[in-house]
Amino acid sequence: MGAELGTITGFIEIHPEYSCMAGPVPAGDAPIILVEGLEHIYGDFKAVDGISFSVKKGEIFSFLGPNGAGKSTAINVLITLLNLQKGRAAIAGHDVKTDPQKIRESIGIVFQDITLDRDMTVWEILEFHGRLYRMPLAERRERIEELLQLVQLDAKRNELTKKLSGGMKRRLEIARGLMTRPLVLFLDEPTIGLDPQTRMRMWEYIRGVNREGTTIFLTTHYMDEADQLSDRISIIDHGRIVVTGTPWQLKNTLGQDLIYLETSDNPAARRLLESLPSVREITEKKQGIILMVNEDGTRVLPGIIDTLRENGVAISTINLKKPTMDDVFVFYTGKEIRDEGQQPARGGFLRAARH
Amino acid sequence: MQDGFLTIYWRDMIRFVRFKTLLVSSLLQPALWLAFFGIAMASNFDVMMAGMPVPEGVKAVGYLTFMGCGIIAMTTLFTSLFSGIVILFDKNWGLMREILASPVSRNHIIIGIALSGVTKSFIQAVIIMGFGVLIGAAFFAGFTPVHVLIGIVGVLAFVAMFALGFLFLSAAIAISMESPEGLQGIMTLLTMPIFFASNALYPINNFPEILRVISAYNPMTLLINGIRYFAIGPDFYALGHHYAFTQMDILLSFAGLVVFTAIMFALAWWRFRNAVVT
């Protein structure tokens, strides 16, 4: 199925066999991150199972996947906190294995959990980071002022970090990640646990940072976050990259619209509709079928209804919508995202249809 | 990176000053030892020893002075060993990741932590000496000002070398461990024999042979030899024992501490090099 779709769309990298081959390198500049056949094993658990991808300079690239998919492990290998076990990875031309020091100098990191010293002030956190990276005094002080403005923590500069709200802490961490003007900024679940408003503001900061030329590598398990922020997304599950593409490309593989039908005879309906030229693919669910259509769904729908009526299949429910990243995720991984205790992402059409 | 350790040092000192309760208790604890244990024991021992003949021409010192030197050493031991807990908290709270993912070399991390530990021990040693003199310990008694200066520098040199050794040991254990409780257990287990199998509170000369040998090579004893040499003098009489140190004795004690610290540095370096913190 995957390979078939790949040939239809033409420009999506699909990894049906989860091959160790490098994905096609984007045309133009050499990739700033290049990963080939990366594997990582904890004991007998394969957290990362042979992933390959590349990130272009200046883009926002996302790993989208459920918790435990291997996103953080992959990131920890890239930022040199975990040893590279198998495969190859390079950032800005420096090999992770042989040149970790060079990599540390050219990246910024925002970790998944808050890693701020509770007993240091906002200003001290940034000053300490600048000193760790050996920034000259004048440059350091200037950069701190710039960043305090950017993340709107100017008024909080002498506040101990334990007194900051969750959103402020996250903003401070992003500011810290940007202190050294890194080539690549790694953001591991940057908006986890933040309220919707703060998340949107965080996205604005991230976009702003990207506009200034910083390449962003982001992991997230929020569909909307990946969709809204990324230039390209790799969906990752069970330590493997399932598919890579732009949000638009990924959603487009599901056709222009999704139509959900519940009928008196679903297998018969499927057989009848499969031959329609506007129908790209049909998936059977527990109670109904989902059609991916190549044309505007509102124009296709009357034909579908007629076809079914003429053949004596009664329709009990019809629903029509644009594919969301949620649908893309369910389509490629065959399941909804595992997100303990969180609200399900809105608009989970394929997912809702499964029950 | 040439000054990475200064950055680590700077941060550690900020936190030392900011943890108010820890700061106060770490300074108060040795003073309380001196004030209660020191004075209580001294009032007994000094009466018991009063009748004993002191060899001709040898300076007799009271128990408070004798054990005061031991308290300096004890405080250094505790402070240094338990400094590892901070490393463990850093590790468990993820604070260590920022540092380990930065270009600062691991050696600088160790050196920075070590220097701040030494600074803390210096502050404590100076306070104990001052407080001791205040409540009647005869530190630097009869010294000329130049001698007092040399004495203080000598004491601090010994304290520094000893503190470094145990800081490295503590850091090496902390970076290899997961839980603060486990670390606390190990540290407590270590402090007992190190403290009591030394000449901090009593002479070791009348110990059973095996314990006496162990105590004589205990880094704690080496440190206390140095402190007594510089704070009391090379030749004194206390608790029924005549202490006479030659310069060679003291040099050997210091050399022993250097060897100990070098081994501990190697251990810490090895543990940090292999440290995986995510």
Side-chain angles (χ1 to χ4, degrees), chain A residues 244-259:
Chain A
T244 301
T246 68
W248 180 81
Q249 286 167 349
L250 291 178
K251 282 184 283 192
N252 210 49
T253 39
L254 304 193
Q256 212 182 84
D257 278 312
L258 292 173
I259 297 172

Side-chain angles (χ1 to χ4, degrees), chain A residues 62 64 226-227 230-235 243-247 250 325:
Chain A
S62 298
L64 172 65
D227 193 3
S230 321
D231 293 316
R232 284 191 309 136
I233 299 172
S234 276
I235 291 182
V243 61
T244 301
T246 68
L250 291 178
M325 197 45 77

Side-chain angles (χ1 to χ4, degrees), chain A residues 200-233:
Chain A
M200 307 263 239
R201 271 227 300 284
M202 211 60 75
W203 293 347
E204 263 321 300
Y205 293 130
I206 294 171
R207 282 196 202 100
V209 167
N210 177 249
R211 270 196 296 274
E212 283 180 15
T214 310
T215 307
I216 310 259
F217 185 110
L218 161 94
T219 76
T220 184
H221 67 278
Y222 294 119
M223 303 291 167
D224 52 344
E225 183 160 287
D227 193 3
Q228 300 252 340
L229 269 181
S230 321
D231 293 316
R232 284 191 309 136
I233 299 172

